[in-house]
Amino acid sequence: GFLQSCAVEVDVKDASNATCLYAEWMMRFLITYETNSSDYKTATLNLSSTVTHDGSVCGNDTQAALLAVQFGEGHSWSVNFTKTNETYRGDFVTFTYNTNDTAVFPDAKRKGPVTIVVKETMHPVQLNHVFVCHNIAFFEAENVTQIFWNVTLQAFVQNGTVSKKESRCPADRPTSAPTVPPTIANVTTASTTTLSPAPTTAPKPVENPDTGNYSLKSGNKTCLLATVGLQLNVSQDKPLLINVNPKTTSADGTCGNTTATLKLNDGNSTLIGF
């Protein structure tokens, strides 16, 4: 089954107790870390049910706004917003995870907080508009994948009232259903974001999936090759089988010295990560 994550809602007030920064979203982190036996594991870090937002800042014409949350055993996440005369945008995201959290990192070799910074994370949004993105977005930096979905936020709220005007992310246009986030089993993640209605008659047998050839490059050199046919078996009241079509599937990802990430996107709301 798919792991669930807690939704976060943060309403930052100014000195007059008026809303100046509002956000509601869901997020998850996939973190690859070295163990005491010198091998590597990938941990899933979800938000806890208790989240604080100490250090959040309203922002103004000369000062950046800051949305900051703290959760779990010493983990924190923040995004910095700046604005122009007409727009606002997130400039960078800072994420700190604490490997002293033995529930998430039971055998981590390195102990203590680790901080990751991702720059230029968000396209400009018109002032007095709410940014909305139900579909999955993710940032990768070093050994961390940050995954976000069901995002609603507005920085530099005017007159203490969150706007009803929406600015949708490209993945949501024109309309799309909220997505189901990737989960992790060992070092493999998979998610299916839209499901066909259950048939009223017995479904036809699904053919074997076509084999696709996927590759990644690091500079001018190929660093990852995969030749594979993929079929997803989604467990629900009536099981659903989905073949991944290599003709419409794009490959993306990164190669590192000790880890590699391959992401396959079929352009139809199915995302698979290895």
Side-chain angles (χ1 to χ4, degrees), residues 32-87:
T32 301
Y33 67 99
E34 186 176 6
T35 68
N36 289 317
S37 57
S38 297
D39 60 355
Y40 288 84
K41 291 183 179 179
T42 299
T44 300
L45 176 59
N46 293 299
L47 290 175
S48 60
S49 57
T50 303
V51 178
T52 59
H53 60 275
D54 298 335
S56 295
V57 177
C58 290
N60 51 42
D61 290 342
T62 59
Q63 182 184 15
L66 181 68
L67 174 63
V69 294
Q70 304 82 37
F71 59 98
E73 300 295 325
H75 313 297
S76 63
W77 179 90
S78 66
V79 56
N80 184 84
F81 296 97
T82 56
K83 73 171 182 175
T84 65
N85 291 332
E86 298 180 351
T87 64

Side-chain angles (χ1 to χ4, degrees), residues 114-160:
V114 182
T115 298
I116 304 295
V117 178
V118 181
K119 295 183 179 181
E120 298 180 3
T121 60
M122 180 179 171
H123 293 293
V125 179
Q126 188 172 344
L127 286 174
N128 201 33
H129 279 63
V130 175
F131 174 75
V132 177
C133 193
H134 292 303
N135 275 274
I136 291 173
F138 49 85
F139 311 134
E140 283 190 299
E142 299 182 31
N143 59 324
V144 175
T145 301
Q146 304 182 44
I147 306 168
F148 307 88
W149 69 101
N150 286 350
V151 176
T152 301
L153 72 86
Q154 184 181 356
F156 307 101
V157 175
Q158 300 177 11
N159 301 319

Side-chain angles (χ1 to χ4, degrees), residues 221-233:
K221 295 182 178 181
T222 298
C223 61
L224 186 149
L225 289 171
T227 300
V228 59
L230 292 169
Q231 183 180 89
L232 306 181
N233 187 335

Side-chain angles (χ1 to χ4, degrees), residues 40 60 77 83 85 94 98 105 110 138 141-142 153 160 162 173 196 207-208 216 236-237 257 270:
Y40 288 84
N60 51 42
W77 179 90
K83 73 171 182 175
N85 291 332
T94 302
N98 185 6
F105 309 99
R110 176 181 178 180
F138 49 85
E142 299 182 31
L153 72 86
V162 177
R173 301 169 187 164
S196 302
E207 300 292 335
N208 288 333
L216 298 178
Q236 51 182 15
D237 291 339
N257 293 329
T270 300

Side-chain angles (χ1 to χ4, degrees), residues 8 33 36-37 69 77 82 99-101 119 133 175-176 197 206 210 224-225 240 245 258-259 264-265 267 273:
V8 187
Y33 67 99
N36 289 317
S37 57
V69 294
W77 179 90
T82 56
T99 56
N100 286 323
D101 185 351
K119 295 183 179 181
C133 193
T175 56
S176 61
V206 177
D210 293 334
L224 186 149
L225 289 171
L240 176 68
N245 183 357
T258 58
T259 61
L264 302 180
N265 189 336

